[in-house]
Amino acid sequence: MPEPTPFNGSNTAWLLISTALVLLMTPGLALFYGGLNRSKGVLNMMMMSFSSIGLISVMWLFYGFSMSFGEDTAGGLMGKLSSFPGTKTFLAETDLWGTTGIPVYVFMTFQMTFAVITVALISGAISDRAKFAGWLLFAFGWATLVYFPVAHNVWGGGWIFQQFHPLDFAGGTAVHINAGAAALGVALVLGKRIGWPRESMKPHNVPFVALGAGLLWFGWFGFNAGSELTVDGVTGLAFINTQVATAAAVLGWVLVEWIRDRKPTLVGASSGAIAGLVAITPACGFIDPWAAVLLGLVAGVVCALAVSLKYRFGFDDSLDVVGVHFVGGWIGTLWLGFFANTKANSAIESAVGAQDGLFFGGGATQLGRQAAAAAIVTVWSFVIAFGLAWIINKTVGFRVSTDAEVEGIDITEHAESGYDLHNPGGGGGGSTGAFALAGIGGSASAPAAQAPASESVAG
Amino acid sequence: MPEPTPFNGSNTAWLLISTALVLLMTPGLALFYGGLNRSKGVLNMMMMSFSSIGLISVMWLFYGFSMSFGEDTAGGLMGKLSSFPGTKTFLAETDLWGTTGIPVYVFMTFQMTFAVITVALISGAISDRAKFAGWLLFAFGWATLVYFPVAHNVWGGGWIFQQFHPLDFAGGTAVHINAGAAALGVALVLGKRIGWPRESMKPHNVPFVALGAGLLWFGWFGFNAGSELTVDGVTGLAFINTQVATAAAVLGWVLVEWIRDRKPTLVGASSGAIAGLVAITPACGFIDPWAAVLLGLVAGVVCALAVSLKYRFGFDDSLDVVGVHFVGGWIGTLWLGFFANTKANSAIESAVGAQDGLFFGGGATQLGRQAAAAAIVTVWSFVIAFGLAWIINKTVGFRVSTDAEVEGIDITEHAESGYDLHNPGGGGGGSTGAFALAGIGGSASAPAAQAPASESVAG
Amino acid sequence: MPEPTPFNGSNTAWLLISTALVLLMTPGLALFYGGLNRSKGVLNMMMMSFSSIGLISVMWLFYGFSMSFGEDTAGGLMGKLSSFPGTKTFLAETDLWGTTGIPVYVFMTFQMTFAVITVALISGAISDRAKFAGWLLFAFGWATLVYFPVAHNVWGGGWIFQQFHPLDFAGGTAVHINAGAAALGVALVLGKRIGWPRESMKPHNVPFVALGAGLLWFGWFGFNAGSELTVDGVTGLAFINTQVATAAAVLGWVLVEWIRDRKPTLVGASSGAIAGLVAITPACGFIDPWAAVLLGLVAGVVCALAVSLKYRFGFDDSLDVVGVHFVGGWIGTLWLGFFANTKANSAIESAVGAQDGLFFGGGATQLGRQAAAAAIVTVWSFVIAFGLAWIINKTVGFRVSTDAEVEGIDITEHAESGYDLHNPGGGGGGSTGAFALAGIGGSASAPAAQAPASESVAG
Amino acid sequence: MKLVTAVIKPYQLDAVKEALHALGVAGLTVSEVQGYGRQKGHTEVYRGAEYTVEFVPKIRVEIVTDELDFEKVVDAIVTAARTGKIGDGKVWVTSVDEVIRVRTGERGLDAL
Amino acid sequence: MKLVTAVIKPYQLDAVKEALHALGVAGLTVSEVQGYGRQKGHTEVYRGAEYTVEFVPKIRVEIVTDELDFEKVVDAIVTAARTGKIGDGKVWVTSVDEVIRVRTGERGLDAL
Amino acid sequence: MKLVTAVIKPYQLDAVKEALHALGVAGLTVSEVQGYGRQKGHTEVYRGAEYTVEFVPKIRVEIVTDELDFEKVVDAIVTAARTGKIGDGKVWVTSVDEVIRVRTGERGLDAL
Ligand SMILES: Nc1ncnc2c1ncn2[C@@H]1O[C@H](COP(=O)(O)OP(=O)(O)O)[C@@H](O)[C@H]1O
Ligand SMILES: Nc1ncnc2c1ncn2[C@@H]1O[C@H](COP(=O)(O)OP(=O)(O)O)[C@@H](O)[C@H]1O
Ligand SMILES: Nc1ncnc2c1ncn2[C@@H]1O[C@H](COP(=O)(O)OP(=O)(O)O)[C@@H](O)[C@H]1O
């Protein structure tokens, strides 16, 4: 790591808030995924995201951060576990990250939120049918064997970085291609939901989808512009590129729907936003705004078409993690091979040792490097995800029983259900529904039983 | 533009986060409007907001920013398109905005989010009956012919500014009066919803309304305090004024309901918050906190009464854009004529060339200027909005068919519906409803049909 | 107050955004509580939170801030009202808070949001049965007699501080124990909901609960890390501790459910997050990350068990304010007696005059002080809350009638209902339900009646 | 005694209610149903997949009335519910052996 | 065989269920309905506009039972559902020609 | 004329609809109900408290058909709805005095 520089207040303030923004993305994702899902599995869907926050955060503190950002070991495949032991405290004046003037803990937490959401992204592929215990095992294993080392390879100066100097500003390769490939692997192992694709499995709550997309968009500014770590012109570039690319992607996706289905949808607009955010992620700090608009448009159009692939090939990537994150990630990653521009950001050469893209006189070199890095991560993630899921399924079991799936995974895995607003609006009349009023939501058990009458002053 | 000053880290960090906050306001608005709407049009309502983000952002990059903040042209009516061409890149050390030390791109994106939400605000007046294509045309036209030039006139040092030196800290005139007047125009053209006002058209999801209001409140701190651009005492003043005025407006609106309807409502509390935020917007950086509390109280009370005007005059401003934004905007704008105070913010004189308000010894001059500027914007926006809508309606058509309106615009314009949680809580019992379980949400088509059976390792 | 230091841009920017984050927590809480509640009382639940924002903010400006942070008076029991009169303006160069370089108004607004949410927290204990007028009186009285002075005692250098030098970084004692004790008092006075505990009173909207928890988590970074006021290493420590403790608490709570109920729930994961956030609040800036993980785990487990106490003792703390905030607050407060560590934060000794915890060689002194301070606040808050509620109930009345409670408090107290999406998805088919389409949500009255037909250009 | 059951278009409920009111019908019970028949449903799209929704939302109205009036009731409903478009719905009549008002225990006509 | 249909106040459902259980009624089917009758609905306000909601949420209970028991069933329901306030609801009885248990195909009494 | 009412498991609705379609049944009306019977509900937990949910979601299918066909209709439903597990539901048949098509006013068989 480079020699320390003095503490920097505004950089630190910016990274602190960026971290909070990225953390918010996972609940946002839970809402986005939850709304896209059928109502009988909304809680399980959200639970997979919330459990990632819980599990991965702790893993990250104790060994994940070291594996990703510790000193090279194993030939650069991962970082030394002893680099940042979770039991040691890093609060000395000099415990700053590189040349940013930011305390180690702030950078550590910022990156923690990346690990959390990357794992959560995968869950969208396996809705309504994955045993919760199986999911936790998978999250633990995949983060340890894939995300932590891959992050080291792409961002921590590891082997892939040394070999290919790939450009990945905020995580097109390390996050989205990575999660997308894993999603495909685990979806293949778990197989299709009962009734898919014959039956309708429409989103149960589209406003949630849109709100989730809005929260993700909001948080993504921390994800992308925060990844500059410092506050400077490039931070502003990453920020505006994130905004305009995403806006263009919304238009692109909606356009495809309008032409193909004759109807633009809100789910489409929301999905387009995510596709744009994904595609601009690796490129936001390395290209010009006009190129970002173009990228967003392309990503919106291509992803809108890509989500139909699962029907052609017959794999049930339930909420289109592959069609949006895998495809979108690849688009953004390759885009840099064409539009990366050292004039926009000199760090491309100085810091990453990469080159201008094809359209900026850099030739095809960088394009090749981008493809190589992305391909390696794709294989790495897919193979291990598939293997892990397969083993889990053969041992503790990963897929729920048919009966459980028909009754609904929320009830069978979590013993709760998303809503109890039975017939809200009681006939549009506003009062709560008869069943809800009837209070036949079951009668309480033991704890209630043993409850003695309490004195009520008011009673 | 003034001569450049060195880059300023904390100002930039603050404006970056403020920009993210303002961007979040539009999804928040979508939720607020969506919840206020009937369930059969919630998606169309939200779609109008999301499409504004997509469309206006791109327009802004390529020519909107130049029209609003470029060098004077056409006698100050708008800015030169050549000032900031979207194809040029502004990343030089010296590409900073005025004396703020903030990169041009950061200021450009901050203002972009203002343009986005101003257009989205209008949509609240035409719920459940506007063709989506018509809406997009309207958004494009109104932004180009009204918002961009008006912003130049009020904030870009344009003609109105030169003539009247109006005080508008964050957009009472440029945003709220502007959008409110347009809302009235387009609502008159589209006419009333079928059954209005005889039928009940109550909000379909009040928690969404409250959450939307909460998100708007949160984002509004970026909108108001961010408009100082720099971090200083006035930023703090704008911030606290935003908070206390809004709080007082909540009390004011609820009070009116309590007295008039004998019941305070959550929709009322949420609406009061918006009314307060609107009214304090132009004044937040120019008045004292106690005057802000008074302003909020007045705005809450007056707007609570103003929303009934549509029944008296019989125009269907569906979600009360006029009653809240137009009226609230005028209140805040005129308020400055009474309470503007150079002791609170010397920039009133030094930067804007305006004067103390009537109650601070400045006489009626500023009051007159405020009224003049607001009146011009009112006419400008109303006339063009009405004309645009009328033309669109006569050509491509702006209003949907009666059958479509009765069936529901979500289905007919977007081929989707807000919710599929049929009988959630299945008898309060928690399991999902019978229909949802029956999976009779329709059967999938083509894509499904062509899908070959895939191997499932788990199956 | 200490002598002024020059204005500090990054500190101010950080506290501004932290303030916005904490303000967002109250709408987040409204959603969390609203979702946990039955559907017939969701609006009343949210209304109690929104009304706190309105009422307490104004009280804070005019006298609350002075009572909490003004100069000592009444032997340190409260601050002088004349210290910061709401009518005076504090905008001089020198109006900065202590040694932070932050404008007084920014600090004042930051603390304002704490007062707001502390009052709102209490409402969770009295859902579905409290007259709204009674609630407002209670909020006014409790804030004035308890929160304002207690804040002075704990944070404003008041009596308790002078006596015990308790450690409370962001409000374990002043906020959570304080609100929890009050919740118990008012819940006892109001008595149990009809049918409790025999009947099922399950959450009506679990996705809201999870989203609310997510927003609270997000905002809590401002609450905890913001409480350092400045941007430095300790801010980073408070931030990472907040994240890892909360994550661990999610795991802890879910673990208990898994073992005890054989089913981990999303409500559990969300509740665990809140428990962790509560427990880490007083400790976040004073302990090491590994100790924070441990604290979170303990808080998650203990609170998961504590929420069953109400059944054993038969008091209807409807949404578990006592089980989560009171218990969690105590855990975090006492934790400092064991794990407080001056190496992690020297301010423990230099600023607070406190000592290392038992496990760091400080002996049991600090543990005793923590317990003493917490105990005093517990009694102070409980007694006054109980008394206030009792008086309100005997005079204007605090509990609604039995009929009103059975019909639903939203209708009877607020004349509105949460949802009107009757049979959304009309048979899973997506179109809105028949009743909603039938528009039998009632027919509009007077205002409609007097409405003359308006010309519709489109019609 | 007769039970008249009508399955109608939601938007016609107001008209039907008025018509019955005019007839002096003291009470009725409505519920939400989904209909399947000549009237086809609609199509929805979700990320490129099309779904045909065959069921159409309808309102079921139930009225217990006496032997003599039921024809009037039927006619009133049919007239009020008619739009002339496919999907206007059906009305059917069944015999009721007995009807009781819960509050008073009254039976037969007095219970209506 | 008889079909007993009862429209009752939601909050009374528990009591009715208990009463029927005591009678040894093996099964029943409930659904949500909206009632219109002597009992008036309530009023709601939305931004200054008042709305009168005429329909009241009710629960419909259906029980298929045999010729002999149905009087007992009716009495049990009426007693359990009564609060004495307007809106307690109605109970009506119709004749059933045949009943079949899907699982076994059993008919008549065996199907209950 | 007869009214065939069937209370079935939600997941079986598709099969039943197909079977009736095959029989040439022109239309039907479905609604959501909650069943109580031999089939037990499920348990939910909320912060340590357990709740037993006794009611099970079911679908009610109503078909008005003529005297002659109704046996076929009943058989078709029973066969299609059967899973052999407890809770498959019931089918019952009642007599209809008259049926009218709202759109045309046609009566009897022509109305179906
Ligand atoms: N045989 C039937 N039994 C029960 N309900 C029926 C029957 N046929 C039609 N319906 C109901 O009547 C409604 C209207 O019938 P449909 O055939 O669509 O139009 P129309 O009655 O104008 O020919 C259907 O949606 C369904 O709810
Ligand atoms: N003629 C009727 N046919 C069908 N249902 C009726 C009829 N009259 C009343 N009901 C139902 O009975 C309920 C109670 O009737 P209502 O007149 O309000 O009170 P009460 O029965 O105590 O006089 C109504 O809400 C409605 O659902
Ligand atoms: N006597 C009855 N009257 C009306 N509906 C009934 C009756 N008995 C059962 N049902 C309905 O039939 C459904 C299935 O009955 P159940 O006893 O659970 O299974 P099975 O019919 O296979 O024995 C119940 O959920 C309920 O809706």
Side-chain angles (χ1 to χ4, degrees), chain C residues 157-456:
Chain C
W159 180 77
I160 292 180
F161 180 83
Q162 295 155 26
Q163 299 305 310
F164 306 101
H165 302 284
L167 289 166
D168 188 3
F169 196 83
T173 301
V175 173
H176 297 288
I177 292 177
N178 202 357
L184 181 58
V186 63
L188 285 177
V189 174
L190 282 191
K192 309 179 220 173
R193 285 165 293 178
I194 295 167
W196 188 88
R198 184 182 51 72
E199 262 174 43
S200 153
M201 295 183 178
K202 306 200 327 300
H204 87 284
N205 196 327
V206 178
F208 278 178
V209 174
L211 176 59
L215 290 174
L216 282 163
W217 195 330
F218 174 62
W220 223 294
F221 287 119
F223 196 94
N224 283 2
S227 289
E228 171 70 358
L229 301 185
T230 57
V231 179
D232 49 39
V234 173
T235 321
L237 177 68
F239 199 107
I240 194 170
N241 281 346
T242 301
Q243 175 63 15
V244 295
T246 307
V250 169
L251 300 180
W253 190 299
V254 164
L255 201 71
V256 169
E257 290 188 321
W258 219 327
I259 294 166
R260 182 190 56 195
D261 316 322
R262 296 172 315 286
K263 300 286 183 187
T265 71
L266 182 57
V267 168
S270 309
S271 309
I274 306 306
L277 289 161
V278 167
I280 194 64
T281 293
C284 58
F286 297 134
I287 64 177
D288 302 312
W290 61 266
V293 172
L294 216 61
L295 168 55
L297 206 61
V298 169
V301 169
V302 174
C303 291
L305 298 169
V307 291
S308 300
L309 292 176
K310 66 183 182 186
Y311 296 113
R312 168 161 289 97
F313 296 111
F315 60 93
D316 182 7
D317 170 21
S318 313
L319 308 181
D320 299 310
V321 184
V322 176
V324 173
H325 295 272
F326 184 71
V327 173
W330 264 96
I331 293 172
T333 299
L334 295 182
W335 199 260
L336 284 159
F338 297 101
F339 293 92
N341 173 4
T342 46
K343 280 196 209 51
N345 183 351
S346 57
I348 291 175
E349 205 151 356
S350 61
V352 186
Q355 295 182 19
D356 276 329
L358 189 61
F359 299 161
F360 285 80
T365 328
Q366 195 57 32
L367 183 57
R369 294 160 154 184
Q370 297 295 107
I376 293 170
V377 171
T378 299
V379 175
W380 184 336
S381 178
F382 176 84
V383 171
I384 294 189
F386 188 98
L388 252 175
W390 191 86
I391 293 166
I392 292 169
N393 195 45
K394 287 298 172 204
T395 52
V396 298
F398 206 161
R399 180 153 181 166
V400 299
S401 72
T402 305
D403 284 2
E405 195 176 332
V406 169
E407 186 179 356
I409 193 165
D410 287 352
I411 297 290
T412 56
E413 280 292 294
H414 305 292
E416 63 183 350
S417 50
Y419 308 89
D420 188 2
L421 29 88
H422 201 270
N423 280 7
S431 67
T432 299
F435 282 149
L437 289 170
I440 58 175
S443 45
S445 73
Q450 30 165 282
S454 82
E455 279 328 299
S456 151

Side-chain angles (χ1 to χ4, degrees), chain B residues 203-284:
Chain B
H204 86 285
N205 196 326
V206 178
F208 277 178
V209 174
L211 176 59
L215 291 174
L216 282 163
W217 195 329
F218 174 61
W220 222 295
F221 288 119
F223 196 94
N224 284 1
S227 289
E228 171 70 359
L229 302 185
T230 56
V231 180
D232 50 39
V234 173
T235 321
L237 177 67
F239 199 108
I240 194 169
N241 281 346
T242 300
Q243 174 63 14
V244 294
T246 307
V250 169
L251 300 180
W253 190 299
V254 164
L255 202 71
V256 169
E257 290 189 319
W258 219 328
I259 294 165
R260 182 190 56 195
D261 316 322
R262 294 170 318 285
K263 300 286 181 186
T265 71
L266 182 58
V267 168
S270 308
S271 308
I274 306 305
L277 289 161
V278 167
I280 194 64
T281 293
C284 58

Side-chain angles (χ1 to χ4, degrees), chain D residues 7 35-39 58 86-90 92, chain F residues 27-29 62-64 101 103 112:
Chain D
V7 175
Y36 176 82
R38 276 184 190 66
Q39 181 190 15
K58 300 282 174 188
I86 283 180
D88 276 351
K90 315 280 183 206
W92 60 79
Chain F
L28 50 85
T29 301
E62 286 167 303
I63 301 131
V64 178
R101 162 175 285 125
R103 171 165 49 94
L112 298 183

Side-chain angles (χ1 to χ4, degrees), chain C residues 422-423 426-427 429-431 434-435, chain D residues 10 13 30 32 34 44 53 57-59:
Chain C
H422 201 270
N423 280 7
S431 67
F435 282 149
Chain D
L13 179 60
V30 304
E32 288 188 314
Q34 296 286 322
E44 292 189 34
V53 178
K58 300 282 174 188
I59 292 268

Side-chain angles (χ1 to χ4, degrees), chain E residues 2-4 25-30 61-65 99-104 106 110-112, chain F residues 7-9 33-40 54-59 84-92:
Chain E
K2 297 289 185 186
L3 169 64
V4 179
V25 170
L28 50 86
T29 301
V30 305
V61 183
E62 286 167 304
I63 302 131
V64 179
T65 180
V99 54
I100 305 96
R101 162 176 284 123
V102 173
R103 173 164 48 98
T104 57
E106 292 163 286
D110 309 347
L112 298 182
Chain F
V7 175
I8 61 171
K9 284 181 172 166
V33 296
Q34 296 285 324
Y36 176 83
R38 276 184 190 67
Q39 181 191 13
K40 295 286 154 262
E54 301 165 312
F55 287 85
V56 185
K58 301 281 173 189
I59 291 269
K85 299 217 191 75
I86 283 180
D88 276 350
K90 315 279 183 203
V91 179
W92 59 81

